[in-house]
Amino acid sequence: MKEKPKDFQTKVVHGFKGFDPCTGSVSFPIYQSATFRHPALNETTGYDYSRLQNPTREELENTMASLENGKWGFAFSSGMAAVTTVLQLFNPGDHIIVSDDLYGGTYRLFEEIYKKYGIQFSYVDTGSTKNIIENIKTNTKAFFIETPSNPMMKVCDIKALCKVAKSENIMTIIDNTFLTPYFQRPLELGADVVLHSGTKYLGGHNDTLAGFLVVNNDELAEKIRLIQKSIGAVLAPFDSWLLLRGIKTLAVRLSKQQENALILSNWLQSNKEIERVYYIGLLDHEGYEISKSQATGFGAMISFMVRNVSMIERILNNLKIIAFAESLGGVESLMTYPIIQTHSAIPEKMREAIGVNERLLRLSVGIEAVEDLIYDIEQAINL
Ligand SMILES: Cc1ncc(COP(=O)(O)O)c(C=O)c1O
């Protein structure tokens, strides 16, 4: 019988190899070893030193490549280590177009670290392909896109952008942290590099940091491998195992999180204290149609603006179930105040221009009973 390609929901559970062929261990082993013995001079088991390759990390990297429908996966000690690695592909004088609405830590890395090495950045609204095209310069070497963007949930038309990028010989890098390969696979839409903070939905339990890059191109993979082993910000064996374990439930977790997010965003929209809700699964979201055409789901990230700034303190101080904390994507719901947390590194003028103001909150919806989450926000508002 012809082999049936595995469904995504099966792939996440079974990983790449999935089990240990030597022992039959269903849980892939943690190879907690820094180095590996050589059988003889000029011989290797395929593993020499864990910064270069480690069997647990390799299983995770291959799993991530398979989930993104890519050829090569690379695992790093954090999402920022993955961003750092991809930036090392560029040279002084290169110009990169970046989403103006992005994780503040990425902005800080670009502005405070890479700018002094001569890399130039333009921050533009990447929810509009026309806008991106207008900002292309002769030295533009890459588009660095968060979609949906963080925290304003702007959606970039990945296919249209990649078409432009290919014709101009520009590399497209997509930060796919918010939707994960369960809902969106940018390489299939023409992107060159997919990036993740694995700390978020992939790990899924708010218990470890991780980052990923996935590519299809062999030459690009070689360059990334060289940078990965030279910089050395690799994911440790135990953290690799935590990620493998987290990924097993990615599909069920995200399905439930998305279900909760849709109910919650509708509820938020109907609350008189809330001025505006930003969730790409809402019919009136400007990115709704593009999202539907390029992704199979809308994820579980919601931002919302309260009418009165005094409501912010009341909500953050009185939530009981939802944690007031930075980060996103785990099973526990988290409420973030971007201006003082995730986006504090972004200058006020730029923040205000994109709508990240003192009345904006970001909610990462978890897998709790949605009635409890609604009750929690309601009691905080009405206290
Ligand atoms: C969209 C996005 N990309 C990258 C990062 C950086 O990842 P990490 O915190 O794992 O270094 C974050 C962190 O919040 C993020 O939200």
Side-chain angles (χ1 to χ4, degrees), residues 76-83 102-106 144 146-150 175-178 195-200 208-212 301 326-328 342-343 362:
F76 301 90
S77 53
S78 69
M80 291 318 299
V83 183
L102 86 164
Y103 171 54
T106 305
F144 187 102
E146 276 189 23
T147 182
S149 64
N150 180 5
D175 185 330
N176 202 26
T177 300
F178 272 27
L195 185 149
H196 283 279
S197 166
T199 314
K200 311 301 186 317
T208 189
L209 299 176
F212 294 101
M301 292 303 298
E326 217 158 312
S327 204
L328 62 110
T342 49
H343 291 68
R362 194 189 73 184

Side-chain angles (χ1 to χ4, degrees), residues 229-244:
K229 77 174 178 190
S230 304
I231 290 184
V234 292
L235 196 63
F238 179 62
D239 290 350
S240 297
W241 181 84
L242 278 175
L243 261 288
L244 281 169

Side-chain angles (χ1 to χ4, degrees), residues 45-96:
T45 59
Y47 304 96
D48 302 317
Y49 188 62
S50 275
R51 178 156 40 75
L52 280 58
Q53 70 283 89
N54 172 281
T56 317
R57 195 178 85 228
E58 185 179 72
E59 170 67 6
L60 174 63
E61 292 179 331
N62 287 332
T63 299
M64 272 309 292
S66 127
L67 298 183
E68 284 287 3
N69 241 341
K71 206 163 161 192
W72 306 105
F74 301 88
F76 301 90
S77 53
S78 69
M80 291 318 299
V83 183
T84 301
T85 300
V86 84
L87 259 285
Q88 291 291 336
L89 292 167
F90 302 98
N91 296 307
D94 287 351
H95 171 245
I96 302 179

